[in-house]
Amino acid sequence: MISCPLRHKTYDSRLIQPRNSNISCHATTQQQNQNQNSNRDTVSQSLETVKGDTLLRDSTAVVRDGDSVAYILGISHVSKESGRLIEELIEEVGPDAVLVELCHERTGLLVDESAAKTGKNAWFSGSIDIQGLPKAEYWPKKVDLLNLLRTYRGCPVSTGGIQADADALLATGLFESVTPVTGPPPQSWDPMFVYTRESDEVIPGVELSSITFKVTPRRLPPVESLNVVFENGNTDEQMSSLMHDIIMNSSSSGTTLDALLRARHECMRNGSIITYEWSDNGMHVTARVLQDQSHGSIVSGLENTVLQGKGIGIASFSRRFMGPNGNENAPKTPNGHLVEVSPWENHPRDDTQQSSTTKGFLESFANAVTMQYAKYQADAGRKVGIVPGYAWRVALAAAARSHVPYVFLGDRLSSVTSQRLLQGMVASSLPYLATSAAVSLASWVAPPVLLHATPSLPASIVITAASFLAAIWPLYSPIQEIQKFSEMSASQIEDAVRVTEPLQSASDAPFYLWGEDALIRWPGAETPVIHERDRYMAFAIYSILRNIPSGLTPTYAATSQEQYGTVYSYAMPKGSSPTVCPQGKGQGQYSIDSTSAPRKVVAIVGTAHVRGMQAILVNLLSNPSSSGNVLEELSTSSS
């Protein structure tokens, strides 16, 4: 046995032997553990780019598999210093993917409370539609009009941007008016995020359920005269006659627009392009016949009849600057790689909230205890100036800053872990409670002379109280520890959670932090809270490195680069397990091809998970055929 500092748990030093020469974990031996400098040198060889930061090297374990590598960083959830380590590691390594210790039930931890309170957030577009568009074949198609818009599903939007798109539709000359209508966010929504380069921060996004442009077709007076002009100088009498017949025979203002569009449609069958123009003095129309589209993007042929936002039959509108879709000059992710997310098709989008179930006494008790634990942990975080979720928000911002395309939520569902914790607590506590009850019963039925009772304090009461305290002490002691932890000063808390020896180790036993990891000392807690989740998250990393779709987890994917920053959309990997990645959740699905599969992964997890995950990942990489789908296995309460 190797004895760690008093605030950490003693662990076994069982050597992790890689079974494949291409796989290494740089595990230290028992003799090396006795020399911290030697340990740090060993780990620094794996972190060649990390210079002069002993704490970062000590906090990171590295597993290599050929040209792939996983960096597992152990952090504290209540430490500002951990935030610095996250930023430094991601910046130095430049990973292809980042995995954080979150699940899709806890995406709310990525939302900054201060941003929510101040209203500092971004709005994202949901479905985009145009209503009121005539269906006649000679009218431009809806898809062609939608391509004129800057707004597309999942992109950030603003009032000005939506109005600019309405102006773009009016500028086609097809409509009298365009009224944009936005639908409210769904009752339950998965946040999206925008990393803004200017302010260097991640802003949460709220998705509008829909943006609909309601259009009213333009009403034009009858054409007074028509002049057909051929660009190449070669007059086509047949085409000119056809246009005169269709346009000049429209006798009422209600059919003039249709006549212009129908004549254009008929004459474009031979490949010609028709545009119209007229003066403000009346409907003296000039139809120009072009041989190609070198004159710019032409959708309706009526674009020249709208001048500075004005024209016959058009409600006045203010023409605003309209840029192209996205920003081609914006910085891209490495190799220009962005993730293409396809909207849900076979599975309707699921924006419903999970219904709560009735809880029994034991489950309610367990939830109350865990909530009290979380409260003390949050109090400790506020002492050092951070709020819950700080580390994950730092990781997301650092990933965006380094143009990382994938941020995986690699943890098991918190609801499953809670259920497993309850089962473990009940199974482990029952013997204590049963013994307590038996001793208490015996104390009441035994002859008083055998118990040396006194009139003032009956022995039965003493024994009952002692038995009860002995039974509940394993549950109360961790709460007392985290309470004391939360009452420490900021500097004391940072010192208590600072890693004091390399996590890269020959041992796979957890490295526990005093106070923060007190929860693990609850009866039956270690297996569901640490060991099962170690397997889950290690398998998620393994699936990323080997590009195994069935083992991938919910993802925040870099889907677009705007002028102001990177958009991260919530999406599910194609081919993933429906148990792990709920179908219909998020903005859609994506796939990873072999050319863009991540080769470098940075995993951000609690320090107690690092050693176990390292050992399990080495074993998975060495024995891929025997792994099965660990995620599905561990995603049920009966694991």
Side-chain angles (χ1 to χ4, degrees):
M1 300 291 287
I2 297 173
S3 180
C4 295
L6 290 178
R7 66 171 183 236
H8 304 303
K9 182 178 178 178
T10 298
Y11 61 88
D12 293 327
S13 179
R14 289 172 288 174
L15 183 62
I16 306 169
Q17 293 288 355
R19 302 185 184 182
N20 186 318
S21 59
N22 293 325
I23 301 171
S24 62
C25 63
H26 301 281
T28 56
T29 64
Q30 195 170 43
Q31 288 74 23
Q32 287 174 317
N33 273 329
Q34 297 171 359
N35 187 331
Q36 289 192 2
N37 291 330
S38 176
N39 281 336
R40 289 167 181 157
D41 290 342
T42 300
V43 179
S44 65
Q45 293 173 8
S46 301
L47 296 171
E48 292 103 348
T49 59
V50 181
K51 306 293 185 182
D53 192 329
T54 300
L55 181 59
L56 180 56
R57 293 196 300 270
D58 284 355
S59 302
T60 308
V62 184
V63 177
R64 296 185 181 278
D65 177 28
D67 61 349
S68 299
V69 58
Y71 300 83
I72 307 175
L73 174 63
I75 57 102
S76 164
H77 303 283
V78 295
S79 169
K80 269 190 174 181
E81 195 168 44
S82 286
R84 176 183 65 82
L85 298 181
I86 293 170
E87 291 178 328
E88 288 186 4
L89 182 61
I90 292 176
E91 180 182 357
E92 294 290 344
V93 168
D96 306 312
V98 169
L99 179 141
V100 294
E101 187 188 327
L102 281 179
C103 65
H104 75 78
E105 291 179 337
R106 295 186 289 157
T107 55
L109 287 174
L110 289 166
V111 178
D112 190 338
E113 289 182 356
S114 61
K117 292 178 181 177
T118 60
K120 188 176 183 180
N121 52 32
W123 293 92
F124 289 83
S125 59
S127 61
I128 313 296
D129 195 18
I130 300 175
Q131 289 185 1
L133 190 67
K135 297 181 179 180
E137 66 171 356
Y138 47 80
W139 265 79
K141 305 304 180 187
K142 181 186 292 188
V143 64
D144 296 326
L145 294 173
L146 288 174
N147 285 335
L148 297 175
L149 309 183
R150 297 192 300 181
T151 304
Y152 55 90
R153 186 180 186 117
C155 78
V157 294
S158 64
T159 301
I162 294 174
Q163 183 58 56
D165 282 339
D167 293 349
L169 292 176
L170 284 170
T172 63
L174 291 168
F175 308 113
E176 174 187 333
S177 64
V178 177
T179 304
V181 178
T182 59
Q187 289 185 345
S188 174
W189 52 274
D190 301 302
M192 300 168 68
F193 296 93
V194 177
Y195 170 71
T196 59
R197 288 182 290 272
E198 183 176 349
S199 60
D200 189 30
E201 62 181 336
V202 172
I203 298 175
V206 180
E207 186 181 60
L208 301 169
S209 59
S210 63
I211 300 177
T212 303
F213 296 93
K214 295 186 176 182
V215 298
T216 301
R218 189 178 181 183
R219 294 176 62 84
L220 294 170
V223 175
E224 299 177 37
S225 65
L226 174 65
N227 180 30
V228 181
V229 178
F230 292 86
E231 182 185 52
N232 60 6
N234 298 323
T235 301
D236 186 330
E237 294 294 343
Q238 184 178 2
M239 181 183 294
S240 180
S241 176
L242 176 63
M243 294 188 71
H244 276 83
D245 288 343
I246 295 175
I247 294 173
M248 299 308 296
N249 289 335
S250 58
S251 58
S252 67
S253 62
T255 60
T256 299
L257 178 60
D258 280 346
L260 292 171
L261 293 175
R262 186 159 61 88
R264 179 175 184 269
H265 178 75
E266 293 295 331
C267 294
M268 286 178 62
R269 293 181 185 275
N270 65 0
S272 298
I273 305 299
I274 311 296
T275 66
Y276 297 105
E277 57 191 65
W278 54 74
S279 67
D280 292 336
N281 298 326
M283 289 296 292
H284 301 283
V285 177
T286 297
R288 298 189 181 277
V289 182
L290 313 177
Q291 298 305 309
D292 54 54
Q293 295 194 41
S294 61
H295 297 270
S297 176
I298 300 173
V299 174
S300 67
L302 298 166
E303 286 84 359
N304 292 332
T305 68
V306 183
L307 303 175
Q308 297 180 345
K310 297 179 181 180
I312 298 174
I314 296 179
S316 177
F317 71 98
S318 173
R319 185 75 168 85
R320 294 180 175 84
F321 169 78
M322 292 182 299
N325 285 347
N327 177 18
E328 295 182 358
N329 296 320
K332 301 294 184 181
T333 52
N335 302 319
H337 178 61
L338 290 171
V339 182
E340 183 178 350
V341 173
S342 304
W344 291 107
E345 296 179 358
N346 297 330
H347 298 272
R349 183 163 175 178
D350 180 9
D351 289 317
T352 60
Q353 293 179 325
Q354 292 184 345
S355 58
S356 59
T357 57
T358 304
K359 298 180 176 63
F361 170 76
L362 289 175
E363 187 172 353
S364 298
F365 172 74
N367 287 337
V369 174
T370 53
M371 288 178 63
Q372 188 64 32
Y373 175 88
K375 174 187 177 301
Y376 286 135
Q377 190 177 62
D379 290 344
R382 280 186 281 269
K383 281 283 186 69
V384 301
I386 62 175
V387 295
Y390 168 77
W392 316 133
R393 292 190 294 276
V394 169
L396 181 59
R401 198 178 298 121
S402 296
H403 310 299
V404 179
Y406 306 100
V407 177
F408 290 92
L409 308 185
D411 199 3
R412 179 172 67 178
L413 288 180
S414 57
S415 58
V416 174
T417 297
S418 295
Q419 292 170 352
R420 294 284 296 137
L421 173 61
L422 171 64
Q423 294 169 1
M425 289 176 61
V426 171
S428 299
S429 299
L430 282 178
Y432 293 100
L433 296 174
T435 302
S436 172
V439 172
S440 300
L441 179 61
S443 68
W444 285 95
V445 300
V449 67
L450 297 179
L451 299 174
H452 303 285
T454 65
S456 60
L457 188 61
S460 57
I461 296 179
V462 175
I463 294 177
T464 299
S467 300
F468 177 75
L469 290 175
I472 68 169
W473 180 251
L475 298 177
Y476 173 72
S477 177
I479 294 295
Q480 184 186 48
E481 181 179 314
I482 186 67
Q483 181 181 7
K484 290 181 178 179
F485 177 70
S486 68
E487 294 170 351
M488 296 166 63
S489 67
S491 60
Q492 290 173 326
I493 291 172
E494 288 282 9
D495 182 65
V497 299
R498 187 173 293 116
V499 173
T500 57
E501 62 182 73
L503 295 183
Q504 185 98 40
S505 171
S507 172
D508 61 354
F511 180 86
Y512 292 135
L513 299 174
W514 184 88
E516 180 174 346
D517 292 328
L519 167 71
I520 314 304
R521 292 199 292 107
W522 281 348
E526 188 173 55
T527 294
V529 175
I530 298 298
H531 301 313
E532 290 178 358
R533 291 168 65 209
D534 286 354
R535 290 182 61 206
Y536 191 100
M537 292 188 286
F539 189 82
I541 297 173
Y542 163 74
S543 299
I544 297 170
L545 292 176
R546 293 291 176 89
N547 194 17
I548 303 173
S550 61
L552 297 179
T553 56
T555 313
Y556 274 99
T559 52
S560 67
Q561 292 278 3
E562 307 297 333
Q563 279 184 310
Y564 40 80
T566 306
V567 177
Y568 279 84
S569 301
Y570 189 51
M572 303 297 161
K574 290 183 179 178
S576 58
S577 165
T579 304
V580 177
C581 299
Q583 304 298 285
K585 281 289 185 182
Q587 280 67 51
Q589 292 179 299
Y590 73 92
S591 59
I592 303 177
D593 59 40
S594 57
T595 60
S596 61
R599 291 291 179 265
K600 287 190 292 183
V601 179
V602 167
I604 315 296
V605 299
T607 56
H609 291 289
V610 174
R611 288 173 173 166
M613 289 175 61
Q614 169 191 287
I616 294 166
L617 181 56
V618 168
N619 185 62
L620 286 170
L621 293 168
S622 303
N623 302 278
S625 61
S626 61
S627 58
N629 194 328
V630 175
L631 302 192
E632 287 192 350
E633 173 192 339
L634 296 175
S635 292
T636 63
S637 59
S638 59
S639 299

